[in-house]
Amino acid sequence: PPEGGEGGPSLEGASPEQREEVQRGVAQLELFAYPTNRRTPWATAALVAASGCLTAAAALHWQLRVCGSPSLEELRPRAASFAGALEGCSVGQGDVERGEVHRLLLASLLRAGVQPSRMLTDIVVLGCCGTLLERLQGPGFVLSLVLGSTVLTNLGASVANGRMVAAALANKGIDQASGDVSVSAPMPSLARVSSTSGGVTALGVFCALRHGRWAAWPGLPLPVAWLMAPVFVATLSAFLGYGGQLREYKAAAEAAAEVAAIASTEGRSASSSIAPDVSVLDVVVSLAACEAVEGRARAACQAPPEDVVAWREELEEAVDRLPPQPPDGAFFADLCGAAVGVVAAIVLRRRVV
């Protein structure tokens, strides 16, 4: 019977050679196999629910609270609070150095700005692979694999993206790691990653290597390994586009440094009008909130609040002077996840359930 099945002969007391022979025999017959165990995959359901509830709560808060603000007095703090929540669900190399390790999990739980196709793919991979492995190995194994790989992959992605961005800014008068600027150029934001899915990728790769020919779902003639095809395509696409984004970022940083150097020689400031304690994300979120509030007012055939319009115009001017933003390095988490999945499959390749 398949691994995890019930009623089959016991392998207790068998020699390693006998176990390997049994495993080879099972491997020849496991196409579209599925464990007879049908217990409810609570761990997998909890992981899907945690990410889904956090993402849905953020979307509802944006639509109902932020975009529904009737005045500027309410809009400002709500937009700032929402931007702070988004920033808290991202991770950079500096956050890890400061001991903010909780970000390594939050960066994957909140899936803000993710393409619907990728989000659906991740849900399918997590649901199918998680259910299969949980029925074979138990909920503890699935939780350990997903949560542990999520921490490792987000750590690796933040370090890799930070080093790539720092290398692009080398000798340009900007210290990406410390934020020191040798000229009065606008300080670029530290490279960060968010909305990652390295843990899901690690789970899918492990399942594809260990049980690639098993059915993705009971009665479904689809090998579980095929579920990873869209993930690999999306990761490859992001990898190919990252180089161009990094070159554009480097060119923008060089241009900003040159403008700042000219302004410094002329005795004037080239810095943005943004307050020092306001992040770039605050400006972008606030501008989007103003546009949403104005759009709702016009849809209701009402004039938008004048103070909101005035603030939106200020933000638009500030956006033109924002420092260049680092490229998205979330795909590094997928690369790290694939590596973690391969290592886990190799380490556990001789395990017999």
Side-chain angles (χ1 to χ4, degrees):
E3 292 186 24
E6 299 176 358
S10 174
L11 292 178
E12 295 182 2
S15 65
E17 291 77 14
Q18 292 174 326
R19 289 173 178 268
E20 291 179 1
E21 183 178 356
V22 171
Q23 286 287 69
R24 286 194 296 268
V26 170
Q28 297 175 357
L29 301 174
E30 65 181 3
L31 182 62
F32 304 144
Y34 204 83
T36 57
N37 187 338
R38 292 295 192 270
R39 60 171 174 256
T40 303
W42 295 112
T44 302
L47 292 171
V48 175
S51 179
C53 290
L54 181 60
T55 303
L60 289 175
H61 181 77
W62 171 259
Q63 292 292 337
L64 301 180
R65 292 282 295 172
V66 181
C67 298
S69 301
S71 63
L72 182 61
E73 288 73 17
E74 295 185 17
L75 178 60
R76 277 182 180 270
R78 292 178 180 179
S81 175
F82 187 81
L86 291 182
E87 194 274 337
C89 292
S90 64
V91 61
Q93 188 174 356
D95 300 323
V96 179
E97 294 173 353
R98 290 190 298 270
E100 299 179 15
V101 294
H102 60 280
R103 293 174 179 265
L104 296 173
L105 288 176
L106 293 178
S108 293
L109 286 178
L110 180 63
R111 307 306 302 278
V114 179
Q115 292 291 336
S117 58
R118 179 57 195 270
M119 185 177 297
L120 177 61
T121 299
D122 289 342
I123 293 175
V124 171
V125 171
L126 178 58
C128 294
C129 295
T131 299
L132 175 61
L133 289 178
E134 187 170 349
R135 287 172 173 172
L136 288 173
Q137 310 283 4
F141 178 84
V142 173
L143 287 176
S144 299
L145 178 60
V146 174
L147 298 181
S149 59
T150 296
V151 171
L152 291 176
T153 56
N154 284 338
L155 176 61
S158 62
V159 172
N161 194 39
R163 291 186 176 180
M164 293 293 292
V165 172
L169 296 179
N171 301 322
K172 302 304 176 186
I174 302 174
D175 186 347
Q176 176 71 10
S178 65
D180 294 335
V181 185
S182 58
V183 294
S184 57
M187 185 184 72
S189 299
L190 295 176
R192 313 184 67 81
V193 294
S194 61
S195 300
T196 60
S197 49
V200 176
T201 302
L203 176 71
V205 169
F206 176 85
C207 192
L209 293 178
R210 289 274 299 182
H211 312 287
R213 293 187 294 176
W214 288 50
W217 198 256
L220 180 65
L222 176 69
V224 69
W226 289 17
L227 298 178
M228 293 303 297
V231 176
F232 289 141
V233 171
T235 303
L236 179 61
S237 176
F239 172 76
L240 295 177
Y242 184 80
Q245 297 174 11
L246 195 62
R247 287 190 294 271
E248 293 177 0
Y249 172 67
K250 180 179 179 180
E254 291 177 356
E258 291 176 359
V259 172
I262 295 174
S264 179
T265 58
E266 296 177 355
R268 58 185 177 86
S269 174
S271 60
S272 171
S273 60
I274 305 173
D277 59 339
V278 176
S279 68
V280 175
L281 183 60
D282 287 327
V283 178
V284 174
V285 169
S286 298
L287 179 58
C290 289
E291 293 174 347
V293 170
E294 293 183 34
R296 285 194 174 189
R298 294 190 179 95
C301 300
Q302 299 176 355
E306 295 182 359
D307 50 0
V308 173
V309 174
W311 192 36
R312 188 254 304 163
E313 294 174 350
E314 295 178 4
L315 293 172
E316 288 178 342
E317 295 178 359
V319 166
D320 294 334
R321 295 188 293 273
L322 286 178
Q325 298 303 295
D328 180 18
F331 79 96
F332 281 116
D334 290 325
L335 296 180
C336 294
V340 171
V342 170
V343 171
I346 293 175
V347 171
L348 300 175
R349 68 185 183 278
R350 293 184 180 274
R351 180 176 177 180
V352 178
V353 178

